[in-house]
Every structure is written in C-alpha cells, then in structure tokens.
Amino acid sequence: MAEQEASGLQVLLHTLQSTSDRESILAILQVLGDLLSVGTDRRIHYMISKGGSEALLQTLVDTARTSSPDYGILLPLFRLLVKVGLRDKKFGQKALELEALDVTLTLARKNLSHSQNLLHCLWALRVFASRVTTGAILGINGALELLFKVITPYTRKHTRIIRAAAEVLAALLKSKSNSRRAVNRGYVTSLLRLHQDWHSHDTVNTYVQIRQALLLCLKHIATIRSGREAFLSCQGMEILFSTTQNHLDDKSMEPIISVVLQILRQCYPKSLLPLLTASSAYAFRIPGSITSEPPRVLTEEDFEDDGDEEVDRDSDSEDVKEEDNDLETDMNKLSSKPGLDRPEEELKQYEAMCLELSYSFEELESTLEEDLNFEGTQRANHHHIPAAASPKQHGLNKDQSCWGLEREDTVQTSLLSMVKMGRSTVHLASKKTPAMKTYPKVPCSRLGIDSSGNEIPDIQAVLKEDVWDIDAISCRRMSASLANSTMPTESVEVIDKVLQTHPKDIPFHDPHLYMAKSRRTRSVPDFKMMAFPDLWGHHPPPSAQSMLERKCGVQRIKIFEDVRRLIQPSDVINKVVFSLDEPGPLQDTSAPHCLRFFSKFESGNLRKAIQVREFEYDLLLNADVNSPQHQQWFYFKVSGMRAAVPYCFNVINCEKLNSQFNYGMQPTMYSVKEALLGRSTWVRTGCEICYYKNHYCRSAAATGGASGKCYYTLTFAVTFPHSEDVCYLAYHYPYTYTALMTHLDILEKSINPKQVYFRQDVLCQTLGGNPCPLVTITAMPESNSTDHLEQFRQRPYQVITARVHPGESNASWVMKGALEFLVSSDPVARLLRENFIFKIIPMLNPDGVINGNHRCSLRGEDLNRQWLLPSAHLQPTIYHAKGLLYYLSSIGRSPVVFCDFHGHSQKKNVFFYGCSIKETLWQAGCPVSTSTVLEDVSYRILPKILDKLAPAFTMGSCSFLVEKSRASTARVVVWREMGVSRSYTMESSYCGCNQGPYKGLQFGTRELEEMGAMFCLGLLILELKSVSCSHQLLTRAATLLNVEEEALDHHLQSSSSSSSNNIATELDDEPPCLEEIDYNTDSSLGQEGSLFELDRQIRECAFNKEEGEEDEGAGQEEKPSQSPELHGKSRASNHWTSSCDSTSPSSETHIVRARTKSRPM
C-alpha cells in the first residue's frame, strides 16, 4: 500500500512538471492542496522527500515564462509553494537553482497594481527570504527597491499587501549585505518616518502587525555598525522612546514594545565600565600571578564583527544535530583509576591529621579533669577577652557552653519533626506565616529593650553614628583587651557600652571572641575594620520569607529608564561618592541627601558607587583578586539614609547570564539600629528587582580574548527602616572566615569531652597566611578496653568540604548546621559519632572569603578546577585536602561519602551532582553497551534518602553526568582517583524552593542550617540501609529514635522509593535557569510562529474577496477567519476531482481546506 501511495504521488508530481494542459495542472494542484490541508506536517515532509518542492518550483517557472502567465494556475501554485517551502530547509537553494527567485520578482513588478496577484508573489518572496543566502541574492536583484514602492505611509487600503511587503523586507534585512544596502540608500530615515506615520494615525492599534514589521526592519539593520550609526544620527533613540513611552501598559501594544526594546538596547552606545581597569582593585604578588591590564579606549571592534560573510542562521542541512560534546565518553577516563600525583612518602605527613587512629586514651583520660576545670573557668568568666599569649582561652557565655545539654530535647524533636514524611505532614512555622515583613515599625524612644527585656538607657544617643562610629570599634589590630587599646578613651567607652547591650540568645556567637579572632585574620588590603553584623551576630527570623512576586513589566521600565538617562541627561548627577581606586575620601560627609558607602572589611565587596540621581546609585563590584572577572558577590555598608524613601541601587557589572533575582530572590539587609533594639537579623529585602543585560561592554581581558560580551545589571529598590541608620546590603547571608574560626572555638568548648571527640587541626597555611582548619568529630570510645578502642579506630570515615567558591556563603550556613548537629546531644548525632569519624574542611578557600572574592583564590583561579594536579605552593588547600584523601585511601579507609557543599545561583532547591559511567554514556548516546559496564549504583541511594527526608531537597534536579570540563573538580577527581562511588557536590540555591513544604519560600539561615543537619541524618539512614549494617546498630537506632524496629525498617524501605530524575546540563558548575525570561536583544519571531501566521493568511485569503475596500478592518489583520463556511467546506481528499474552470481568485476558494493544528516536524 505504501509503495502504491508513493507511486501515485510521484506520478502526480511527474505529470505536473511534464504536462502543459491547464485542466490537468489545476486538477493536480487541487488534489495536492486537499492532501496537504489536513493531517499533520508529516504529509508535507513526505512530499518534499519525493521531489515535491522541485516539481512545484519548476511548474512556477514554466507557467510564469509563458507569453501570458495564467494566474488561475499561479495563485493556487503560490499557496502550495508557501506551505511546502516553509517546511523545506533547502527550499531557498532549490528556488535559486531553478531560477524561481527572478521569476517571482518579475511577476511582483508586473502586478504592482493587481493586489491579489501581488500578495501571492510577496508570500513566495517571504519564504525565499527566510534563508539569509537567498535573501541576499534577492537584495542584489532589486527586491528592496520593489518593496519600498509597495510600503506606503498610513492608509486603510491594501493593508494586507503593505503588511506582507513589510514582513518580506524584514526577512531580507536579516542579511548583512541587504542591511548595508538599506543604509547606503537612506532607508533608515524612510523606515523611521513610516513608523512615525503609522504610529500617529493608528490610534486604536488596528494595524499593529504592520508597525511591528517596520520595527523589525530597523532591528535587523541595527545589527551592523553602520546601521546603528545611521539610526542614532536620525534621532532613532528619541523617536522610538517618545512614541512608546506612554504605551508601556497597553497590552495591545505588546508586539511593538517588545521590538522597540530590542532596538533601543542594540543601538544604545556601548562603553567600558567607569573603572580604571577591569582587574581587581586589590593585587597580591605571587609567582604566576596575573598582572593588571592598562586601561584602553573602547572601539567598535569590541562589540561586533561586521564582516561581509553571510551566515545562514537556518542550516540547510537536515542532518545537523546538536550534540553535547562536553560529556566524557572515554572509558579510560571514566573508569576509576586510583593513583598518586605525588611521592608516596609524602603521605606520611597526614598521619598527624588522623591522630584518632593512634591516640593514647590513657593520656587523654589524665587530661579530662584539667579540661573540665578549664571549661568551668571559662564558663564562669565568659566576658573575659584573652590576651594574645593564650589563644585557646576564648570567651564563652553560659548559655552557649551548655547548648548541647539544654537543647537535647529540642533537637531530638525538631530534627525528626522536620523530616519530609511523604512531603505532606511537616510542622513549619514558615508555612503558617510564609511572608515576613522586612522590619516592623517601632515607635521611636530613648530607651531600647534587649532580648531579656532590660532597658538600654539613652539608646538613641548610642545609635548616633558620630558616637558609635563603626570604624572606631572595628580596628583589627587593636589589643585584645579594650583597656590596653590605642583607641581614644571615648571610643573605648562607647564600645564597652554597646557590647554590654549584646543579646545573649544568639547561639554559638561571642562578639568579644570575634574581635580577638578578627585581628589574626590576614587580608590583602589589610582591613582595619569589621562589619557590624559579623561582630554583633545574626539571629534567624522565626519564619522564612516568601519569594518576591515579579512586577509585570519591570524589565522594560528599567531599560526605558536607562535610555532616558542617555537622551535626557539633564537630571543626572553622575557623582562618584565611593571608590577603592581613590586613596582619599570622596564624600563630603555633611552633604545632604547623599548616601555614604564603605566596603573595606572582611568579605566586603563594593568597588565604586556613583550617585545618578538623588535617590539612585550605580554600583560597581570588585573583581576577584588578581582577576579581571567574577563580579557577582557584594557586601557593603551604607549610611546617611532617610526612612520611608525608596533608594534604587543598580549593580552594573554582574557577569552571569541569568540570575534567580529574576525569579523571586531578594538581596539581604542588616540594620544596625534594629540590632541594637534587639532584632539582630539579616532579612531579605528589596522590590522592583530585575536582572538584565546592559550596554557596558566587557573588555577582551575580562573575557579571555572574546569580544562583544556585555555586563548585566542587577537593580533593586530598598526602603530603609530608620533615618540615619547604618545598614549592610549583601548578595546573600554573609559568613566570614573569622566567623568560622570563632564558631569552631565555641563549638569545641560547648561539647562534653568525655563523650565527643572534637579536634581542630590546621590543614595548611593559605597563600595569604591564614590557617585552613580541619575538624575531626567522632564519639569517644566507651572505655580503654581493646574491643572499644578497636571499634573506635575501625569506624569508617565521612569527608565533608565547603566554601571552595567564596561567594557561595550559603554553603557555609549549611556547613554550620552540620557542625552544630554533629556535636549536639541529638540521638541521631550520637549514633553518627559512634559509628563514623567525620573529617571536615569547612572552608577550602579562606583567602577568597576574606577578600570578598566571588569564585577564585588569590591567584585568580577557580580552586575547584585544580584537583587534578594541585600545587603545594600555589593551591595549598586543594593539595593537602587531596593528600589527606590519598592518605585515607592508602590505609584502606576511603570515605563512605565525600561531599563538597556549594551554592547555586540559577536553580532552586537543594540537590546533588554525582558521577555515573552508565548515565553519562547513555546521555551521550555512546555505542558502548552499558550492560558490559560494571558500576556501583549505590550513588543514587543518598540523594533518594534526602529527597524523602529534607524539605528543601529534590531528586528531580540531581545530575550524575561526568563532563570533560568538570574533570578537575573535587567531585570527579575523588570519584575517579580515590574510587569513592558516593562522591558528590551538594548545591543549595541562593533563592529558595519551588517544591515541597518550602515551596514559594526563600531560604533563610535556619533552613540552610537545617539542610546541614538533614544531610547528616541522611548519612545515618544510608548506613542503616547498607548490607553491612549490624543488627545491633539497627536496634540502637530504633531505640534512640523512640520507634519500633519494624517501623524504622518500614520507613527506611519507603525512603528508598524511586524518584524521577531530570538530568540537567551543568553550566559553570550550574545548569541554566529552568525559568526562562527573555531579556536578550536578539529575540524575534520564531520560525514556528512565522509558519503558522503565513498558513493562516493563506487560509484567510481563500475566503475573502480581493482587497480594495476603504474600511478594511482589524479583524482581517489580527484574527483568522472562523466562518462556518470554512468548516463546512473542510474535507480530506485522496482521489481525483474534476473541473476548476474559473480563473478568478474567488473561484478557487474550494481548493484550500482547513488543516488541523500541528507542529512542524
């Protein structure tokens, strides 16, 4: 049957090409039309494969070249050609070879006064012009001149013709040669005049499609340099801005506004950032460091390659397939290859970091009483600030030191109650009150109330910045004792007075200890100050904040504001008010209505602030040290504000292509006045948030030699809660290196040393001279008996790392939650300590964190790309972290799980990246049979467990692909070289969740810390599910968790139920955003949209009379005909039909049938 159908079609096509009989041709065209008007596009593609395009084109050429062309044949033939040509990728080339382009142009010229014939010619030209190469040839043959004869100023006559001509012109101008031809012949001016004329007369938006097509012509011309120059010289920016400014909220104008925005962004003059150099303001001299680039003048070559070569954007090859060439398919590289990258004798140095394997617990017992006595002394004198000679004697208040005991019941119930049981029943305060107001309004008074309800006298006097100047209390090099400080006596008294008001309910934080630790932290700029939030501490809010609902049209409003700043600069102040590049102060502190900025403190990042208008500021971030790029993290102080006034901040040199700021994420803010009033909390803040591409061009030095890349603007508005406050704004909740070192010391003092083995070691010294901490946590052996010591030393290892990327502060909050949970008296934590030894490196890149980097080390390199061959001198933390793992592997103690905590800027939720040979080969379509590949599939168990346990975790976002570009990451190297099958990266969103109990909520520090605890719980469940798990451990787990053993076993079985796995492609450690927002300058009508629209016009044409009425309406312009006649005449035809005698277009309405809605194949 199929062969008969193919034979019948081929006979029809052959007959069509060979016959000159008019009746036969019309009959064949009618049959073909009936066949192609119903069903799916598969019929059309089948016809194309049998030579249908060539047959139709040849018939067109033969008919048109007769002495008197028969339009009774040509019109249905054109309609068939358009339908087929839109789906034939080689149609343009076929038309060129058969000389159909010249024929169609000739017919169009002959029919300028016959609208119906001309309309069909224009439709065919539209199809030909959809391929850039054939469009260029049409331009050479005079198509542009022809079309400008057809496109007239505003008229209500022949609007269908004008629209078709404008759309053909827009398609032709995709060719650079045609765009240059249009510029040289002054068509830019003509197009702008046509746009103004149609805009001014079409007051009810009847002919939006014509106006949109004219604008698309300008858009395509603006892709070349001479086109932009001509547009600007004709005042194009001003014209488009003025004609659309008052219509931004008009939905009927949406197609117009969209194209206008693209044109304005294309033609906005490109410029370099207002910085001396793209390199960081901080430089650290080390061997192999990157030298700063000299400033250079921007040229157009930075923006566009305006070559003569025509590039066909739609490939003529049907065999072209997009392939992910980044997936690793080399079995030698995918297979686990344990090996050393250093001499084996070097591994002996790591014995000192694993003293738990050889510790003399007889000696330890003799020191327990001393330790307890020392601990008691510290608890009794928790306000003591130690001298430099006694670094281990740190302050600790009673509440903190007894935290583990006091919170036993709380932790036991809170952790298990937060478990995501079937994703339905979970007690969360945040779900009861999902939206938390930024700050409650507080009546002003001269009294403050601390967390205990005690009055703080004269709080307003303390709040005045000239009294409690943060700069005065933040000297890092001051003596540990305030009494011996070189600071002025008045400032010391104020500091003492302020610190006496510090709340005692911030767990694991002590400002005195923080100050002592801060002066040991070494930074490249030698910071003298501390940020108040880091000193004072942060108390998590009681509930999470909802994601910000995106304001409709906020992006276009921001772009129009940028354009207004260019063309109407009269109110622009453009005053630099802060700059790291200027040695002296830039601000007159007495200047009214001007904010004051500061960022020279640990983890701070703000390079320059420019006042644009009274309440608007452009902000520029500092690049990573010794690097010209990676501007994303910010953290700075701002003061001198007015309350209840919205201030707009534009961060103009961001680099990532997209951001969760477009999808509900807000930056964070900390108010000093609020903290002194007892509300010391980082909160999400900001409205009218938008992240979009701007007009600032990235230099070649910042892009590795590539040109044309632009920066992105993050813009947000903040209304401050108090006047003359001091507030801190940050990309995410900050977590400094000093905060970590303080936290570790307090943790060590909070545990019971008879029960918890907690040891701090120094993994190595960083390039900047800061110690990188290594923490060991496990349970003390029950006794000195041989059995207990053997059990202690045979416990398997778990290795956790974090913060290799400094800007991912959320990873540190997750780590904080894990650390606090592991040392707590929670029964799950107790079981974990008794069965595992935890090796934790909580901050792999201390120097980057200290100096406010976003991604790199002091060498300007991504440390998570250095795991293959790290250098002890250049990447010491990676070198020694890898060495420690090598050592554990060499003694047969490879970790059960290795997990590197990260943050994610483009996706929501928490999820894993892991490693799988089979999944990688399958995704790559590799011919290697996966049935012959042996692989431990246990890598999926832990993420499945967390998918059931943790409210924030989702298995659906996990990926287990191994990519070539990730070959030097921790996850892949530990998996490949150490043979750890459960080697993961755990990504936590900067934003929040779009699933589960936290759906619609942004992450706070409480949720991030909870994720750290849940991760630890997942490790226990993983062990309980393992084959090697002892019955004794299972029984103890059931007892400690206060459930029956059978119930626990049932829960473990349900935890392993399968979950869908959506494999995503990573992009710079991160897949692209799942939510798409079009904010680029190059979006336009897609091929599918054009195809459908042209099909609609052809159908409509069959049921309308020839144009010419004076009042041609919008119904014909905007809506497809829905007359009952259309549906009544619809039928499928698969047989010969007779008679098509009339030659008038109206008599051919029965040829075209309604086709069902389908998509192009």
Side-chain angles (χ1 to χ4, degrees), residues 864-881:
N864 203 34
R865 295 296 184 277
Q866 308 301 322
W867 278 78
L868 271 179
L869 290 171
S871 165
H873 302 291
L874 301 179
Q875 302 97 22
T877 60
I878 304 303
Y879 181 86
H880 290 291

Side-chain angles (χ1 to χ4, degrees), residues 151 880 882:
I151 303 172
H880 290 291
K882 187 177 182 182

Side-chain angles (χ1 to χ4, degrees), residues 998-1019:
Y998 293 156
K999 183 177 181 179
L1001 300 178
Q1002 298 182 79
F1003 284 146
T1005 57
R1006 187 187 304 274
E1007 290 72 37
L1008 293 171
E1009 291 183 53
E1010 174 196 278
M1011 187 62 231
M1014 288 294 178
F1015 174 82
C1016 297
L1017 175 59
L1019 295 179

Side-chain angles (χ1 to χ4, degrees), residues 66 208 287 328 333 339 377 561 577 754 758 798 813 847 863 960 983 1090 1157:
T66 60
V208 169
E328 184 60 77
K333 294 182 179 180
T377 303
E561 287 177 357
V577 295
K754 288 185 177 181
F758 186 101
Q798 307 278 11
W813 287 101
D847 292 339
L863 288 181
F960 303 95
S983 178
S1090 301
K1157 185 177 180 181

Side-chain angles (χ1 to χ4, degrees), residues 634 649-652 654 661 689-691 712-716:
F634 59 85
F649 298 101
N650 308 310
V651 183
I652 63 175
C654 299
F661 282 118
I689 299 176
C690 185
Y691 188 96
Y712 293 78
T713 292
L714 164 64
T715 178
F716 57 94

Side-chain angles (χ1 to χ4, degrees), residues 241-439:
F241 181 83
S242 61
T243 55
T244 54
Q245 182 64 26
N246 297 326
H247 302 278
L248 296 181
D249 297 328
D250 188 345
K251 291 188 177 181
S252 65
M253 286 278 288
E254 182 66 27
I256 303 292
I257 302 298
S258 177
V259 182
V260 167
L261 283 172
Q262 296 171 38
I263 298 172
L264 293 177
R265 298 178 74 179
Q266 280 179 312
C267 296
Y268 199 113
K270 304 295 182 183
S271 60
L272 285 175
L273 292 169
L275 295 173
L276 296 176
T277 174
S279 297
S280 172
Y282 303 144
F284 184 74
R285 293 189 176 275
I286 51 176
S289 63
I290 304 171
T291 56
S292 299
E293 61 159 7
R296 66 187 186 90
V297 179
L298 186 70
T299 65
E300 274 284 350
E301 282 72 18
D302 287 311
F303 312 133
E304 177 219 5
D305 178 14
D306 196 19
D308 293 327
E309 181 181 1
E310 295 292 349
V311 179
D312 198 334
R313 294 188 177 102
D314 299 303
S315 173
D316 285 339
S317 173
E318 293 181 339
D319 299 324
V320 174
K321 294 181 180 180
E322 293 185 6
E323 296 180 356
D324 189 350
N325 295 322
D326 195 32
L327 288 177
E328 184 60 77
T329 57
D330 187 338
M331 283 299 299
N332 292 326
K333 294 182 179 180
L334 284 172
S335 301
S336 178
K337 298 289 184 182
L340 293 177
D341 62 358
R342 66 199 74 193
E344 188 172 355
E345 54 269 19
E346 283 192 16
L347 299 184
K348 293 182 180 179
Q349 64 180 304
Y350 301 105
E351 291 180 4
M353 299 181 191
C354 299
L355 294 180
E356 63 276 2
L357 298 180
S358 59
Y359 210 93
S360 172
F361 287 95
E362 294 179 358
E363 295 179 3
L364 180 63
E365 275 195 355
S366 67
T367 61
L368 280 179
E369 291 187 5
E370 297 177 9
D371 290 342
L372 290 174
N373 292 335
F374 173 78
E375 181 184 5
T377 303
Q378 294 306 306
R379 292 177 182 175
N381 189 18
H382 58 270
H383 288 300
H384 169 68
I385 298 181
S390 56
K392 282 292 183 181
Q393 297 177 354
H394 49 270
L396 186 71
N397 63 57
K398 183 177 180 180
D399 293 337
Q400 294 163 355
S401 63
C402 299
W403 182 87
L405 298 176
E406 292 176 354
R407 289 186 50 179
E408 179 172 352
D409 295 334
T410 305
V411 175
Q412 181 174 351
T413 56
S414 64
L415 177 66
L416 297 179
S417 68
M418 292 178 186
V419 168
K420 184 167 52 179
M421 301 291 291
R423 298 181 187 269
S424 59
T425 57
V426 60
H427 174 69
L428 294 170
S430 57
K431 295 305 288 183
K432 294 180 180 179
T433 56
M436 189 192 77
K437 294 182 179 179
T438 302
Y439 285 107

Side-chain angles (χ1 to χ4, degrees), residues 177-190:
S177 60
N178 285 341
S179 291
R180 278 189 287 270
R181 188 174 291 109
V183 172
N184 294 336
R185 299 186 181 182
Y187 290 157
V188 174
T189 302
S190 301

